[in-house]
Amino acid sequence: MLVLYVTFLFVYVYNARCEKVPCPKVLAVNITDGTRSDNSIIKDGVIFDQQNYFVTNNTIFGCICNIIPCIRKCCRSQEIMINRRCAPRNSTLSSLAIYNGTLATNITPYYEHFYLIYSKKCKPRRKMLLRPHLDTSNKFYVQENGTLFLPRYAGKYYKPDEYCVEVFDVQQYEMKDVVSVILCLREDDFVKPGHHRLLCTGMFCMQKRIANKTTHWFKI
Ligand SMILES: *[C@@H]1O[C@H](CO)[C@@H](O)[C@H](O)[C@H]1NC(C)=O
Ligand SMILES: *[C@@H]1O[C@H](CO)[C@@H](O)[C@H](O)[C@H]1NC(C)=O
Ligand SMILES: *[C@@H]1O[C@H](CO)[C@@H](O)[C@H](O)[C@H]1NC(C)=O
Ligand SMILES: *[C@@H]1O[C@H](CO)[C@@H](O)[C@H](O)[C@H]1NC(C)=O
Ligand SMILES: *[C@@H]1O[C@H](CO)[C@@H](O)[C@H](O)[C@H]1NC(C)=O
Ligand SMILES: *[C@@H]1O[C@H](CO)[C@@H](O)[C@H](O)[C@H]1NC(C)=O
């Protein structure tokens, strides 16, 4: 256990030191084969200036979402989430609405407005599946700039690396072709009753389940 903690601490400190990148890696694209021009790199017509790219592992990553509004689709194109996996199925995600606050805009379809990143990674890895059809507090509003607005949640605004949208067919959660969101949780989302709470002793924190209302925790 101690070894685990020490490893965790090391990784944490190490990451904190190295994390001088201009965007999360999950919102970056490989632009290694782009065209160089002065200090910028051009790829597929998008100009990445020095503030919008970084190099790791011999690969140049361009922060596409700093330039074009992005959202993440949890599964690849032509796939939806069936139970806990992405599986081939013609998606009906095209009905995804874009909002200004809680007011629907007439921007449509979403895939022409946003740059799409296919990923459901969360960092930290805790995820929750929203069920807007069963619980009004789960009603979500994708904003024009790719931010997710959740008026009834502690965080309220979630950036594109903190959620992904998808069509869900999940029997266990009574979802049959429902457009919804996998939300990456932050620490402050854990303090609410019925959710998880962080228990800390000295420097170390552990997650502890404090109540029962956790049936919608989604492990992937
Ligand atoms: C990035 O793209 C380059 C050139 O297309 C390729 O050689 C390299 O393997 C890619 N790197 C990653 C991490 O995908
Ligand atoms: C670096 O690239 C190699 C080969 O593509 C890969 O196995 C490794 O996980 C990468 N490391 C990081 C830190 O991304
Ligand atoms: C999607 O729809 C097309 C035509 O509408 C069909 O040919 C294809 O087999 C469908 N794919 C899946 C995975 O259902
Ligand atoms: C959203 O609505 C507000 C007021 O209703 C308006 O001032 C603002 O410009 C709108 N934002 C966008 C991005 O359209
Ligand atoms: C995106 O829009 C939301 C809601 O209008 C706003 O709170 C947020 O700061 C904006 N984010 C960025 C990165 O512009
Ligand atoms: C926890 O859930 C079980 C099964 O869903 C239920 O029987 C039990 O009463 C619940 N306990 C509390 C404290 O709510």
Side-chain angles (χ1 to χ4, degrees):
M1 206 55 163
L2 188 64
V3 170
L4 208 67
Y5 277 141
V6 169
T7 309
F8 174 79
L9 200 66
F10 174 76
V11 169
Y12 182 80
V13 170
Y14 182 80
N15 276 343
R17 271 206 196 145
C18 295
E19 206 141 345
K20 276 257 165 80
V21 296
C23 67
K25 197 168 166 188
V26 74
L27 298 183
V29 291
N30 184 352
I31 58 166
T32 309
D33 62 354
T35 311
R36 277 148 211 271
S37 150
D38 298 325
N39 288 323
S40 299
I41 296 171
I42 303 166
K43 165 113 191 195
D44 296 334
V46 180
I47 302 167
F48 298 87
D49 63 25
Q50 241 176 333
Q51 276 78 54
N52 286 321
Y53 66 80
F54 60 95
V55 184
T56 22
N57 211 2
N58 293 320
T59 298
I60 307 173
F61 290 98
C63 296
I64 185 86
C65 304
N66 290 0
I67 300 165
I68 302 171
C70 287
I71 55 169
R72 293 197 297 162
K73 183 180 182 301
C74 308
C75 301
R76 302 202 61 82
S77 152
Q78 313 280 331
E79 286 185 350
I80 71 163
M81 199 93 183
I82 300 178
N83 296 319
R84 284 158 194 225
R85 292 215 158 72
C86 292
R89 170 94 59 91
N90 279 329
S91 173
T92 52
L93 191 58
S94 50
S95 64
L96 182 74
I98 302 174
Y99 293 85
N100 176 354
T102 57
L103 294 176
T105 67
N106 54 12
I107 301 167
T108 190
Y110 77 95
Y111 51 83
E112 281 177 10
H113 177 71
F114 294 116
Y115 183 88
L116 288 191
I117 291 191
Y118 300 99
S119 157
K120 55 177 155 55
K121 277 189 199 146
C122 280
K123 189 185 160 189
R125 293 180 63 177
R126 293 167 296 229
K127 299 174 181 181
M128 194 179 96
L129 177 60
L130 297 183
R131 296 185 300 167
H133 61 306
L134 295 180
D135 182 348
T136 52
S137 76
N138 281 191
K139 189 111 179 60
F140 62 87
Y141 305 90
V142 174
Q143 305 291 299
E144 247 177 274
N145 64 9
T147 296
L148 186 76
F149 181 35
L150 274 167
R152 307 270 290 272
Y153 268 68
K156 277 199 181 349
Y157 293 103
Y158 292 81
K159 293 187 263 58
D161 58 316
E162 298 177 297
Y163 77 97
C164 63
V165 296
E166 195 46 87
V167 173
F168 291 86
D169 200 339
V170 186
Q171 220 168 20
Q172 186 186 353
Y173 301 134
E174 298 166 50
M175 302 176 91
K176 180 77 194 152
D177 288 340
V178 175
V179 173
S180 192
V181 157
I182 292 176
L183 189 67
C184 305
L185 292 168
R186 304 171 185 160
E187 302 307 344
D188 60 354
D189 291 318
F190 281 73
V191 196
K192 292 191 289 182
H195 287 206
H196 286 57
R197 187 163 65 186
L198 289 174
L199 282 190
C200 301
T201 49
M203 295 177 72
F204 304 118
C205 296
M206 269 169 62
Q207 275 175 62
K208 177 131 171 73
R209 187 178 270 194
I210 52 169
N212 235 4
K213 230 179 125 191
T214 53
T215 50
H216 55 304
W217 284 85
F218 207 60
K219 295 191 199 73
I220 296 165

